[in-house]
Structures are given as structure tokens and as C-alpha cells.
Amino acid sequence: QVKLQQSGAELVKPGASVKLSCKTSGYTFSTSYMSWFKQIPGQSIEWIGMIYAGDGGTGYNQKFKGKATLTVDTSSSTAYMDLSSLTTEDSAVYFCARGQLGGDYWGQGVMVTVSS
Amino acid sequence: DIQVTQSPSSLLASLGERVTITCQTSQSISNNLNWYQQKPGQAPMLLIYYATSLQTGMTSRFSGQYSGRSFTLTITSLEPEDIANYFCLQHYSAPLTFGSGTKLEIK
């Protein structure tokens, strides 16, 4: 069955960067899209962007350009998201999801806390 | 960006009751809208895609309809396991945008 397993919770200092992972199984990763989302607890969800694993092509929400960088490793069927220059406003739960139209299968989410 | 206005923000309903949640988009998106259910501490689950198609494995108590820029999610007979937050998402154009969510609780 389709599974998306995200890395564990992160506590990072302001100004630092963090790399989140999303390891997949149960489907053909190399011909699929992966989308990433941000959710501040108790709030709605924002679309960060998406990446096509076949060629690494990306599309970003303008709001997250320069903040998020999406990459993939097809050899391990894993997608990554780098978040840079973190501030307290980046504290949130981040989800990966298969597909480019919102996603049908989602990872369990990873909490990123930015605090000194 | 396409704005998605979701209502109500919260909803108290009785078990067995018919429940309707609405999303209105700021411009026409055809049927490019999904509905998601999210329980506390969990990832969203896809319920309805392309406005009216029930995702495989989801109960047929959920259904979606649309007319113009107005989209509805209906639960025909509320069950305890339906208590959750519900979000709509337009995927007609980037950036994809979500409604603000509806918190569904038991009366």
C-alpha cells in the first residue's frame, strides 16, 4: 500500500535551516509528483509547492520562494524540503502528499519548532 | 490568487443529521476542488476529488456537488467518526488555496 513516512520533529534556532524528508513506498515514485504543505496548529493549510520526481521540475507558491527548496532522490524514493533562514513564523506542521492536485496520500506530518 | 471562502467555520450537529459545508471560490474553477477530512493530530484525508468524485475507500455518506463557483460537501447521516475538521482545496491554478476549514462537532 502507499505510504509516506516523514522524518521526526525538529527544534531549530532562528536563522538556521532544516531539511525534512518524506520516504515513500507502495507506488512508482519516479513518475509521480510530490506536494508540500504548511499548517500552523489550529489553522488552515498552505500550499508550499510541488516537484516532479521524474525530472526534478518544481513549482512554488510565490510566498515560499527563497524559503523552501524541494528536491528528490529517486534511488531511495524520498522527497526532501529544505527550509532556510527560519523564523518563529516558520513554526508549523509540514506535510508531504503524493500528487500535484492537492494530494491523495499524505505523510503524517512533522512539527518544526523555531525557538532560541 | 483564487480566494476560497468556506462556511460555516464551526458546526454543531446531532448524530444521524444531514450536514452541509460550503466553499465559494473568487473565480470560476470548473470542478477543480477537493474536500479533505482532518482529525486532531492526523494528516488530512482526501474525501472528494474533482468536486463530486468519492475517493476510493471513503464511505458513501460523503458526497460533493457544485454549481458555478459554489461547492458543497454533504454528510447524509452524521456518525461519531465524522467528527473532524473539513477543508476544501482549489487546484485549478497555482498557488493552490484552501478554505479556512469547518470544525464539525456533536450537539
Side-chain angles (χ1 to χ4, degrees), chain B residues 11-13 19 75 78 82-86 102-106:
Chain B
L11 183 54
L12 279 174
V19 170
I75 309 172
L78 190 65
D82 301 333
I83 300 312
N85 289 297
Y86 292 85
T102 296
K103 185 176 183 178
L104 178 56
E105 296 175 299
I106 298 290

Side-chain angles (χ1 to χ4, degrees), chain A residues 35 37 39 42-47 50 60-62 95 100-109, chain B residues 1 32 34 36 38 41-46 50 55 87 89 91 94-101:
Chain A
S35 296
F37 301 88
Q39 185 176 36
Q43 297 188 20
S44 189
I45 307 169
E46 294 181 280
W47 176 72
M50 62 182 180
Y60 292 94
N61 184 336
Q62 185 69 31
F95 294 98
Q100 80 272 35
L101 300 178
D104 54 359
Y105 290 89
W106 291 53
Q108 81 276 20
Chain B
D1 298 2
N32 292 283
N34 295 347
Y36 293 88
Q38 186 179 32
Q42 296 185 19
M45 289 181 58
L46 179 63
Y50 285 120
Q55 172 69 352
F87 296 94
L89 164 71
H91 54 79
L96 280 61
T97 46
F98 286 82
S100 55

Side-chain angles (χ1 to χ4, degrees), chain B residues 1-3 25-30 68-69 71 92-93:
Chain B
D1 298 2
I2 296 175
Q3 309 303 314
T25 56
S26 60
Q27 62 188 74
S28 178
I29 62 167
S30 186
R69 295 183 292 111
F71 299 79
Y92 176 77
S93 68

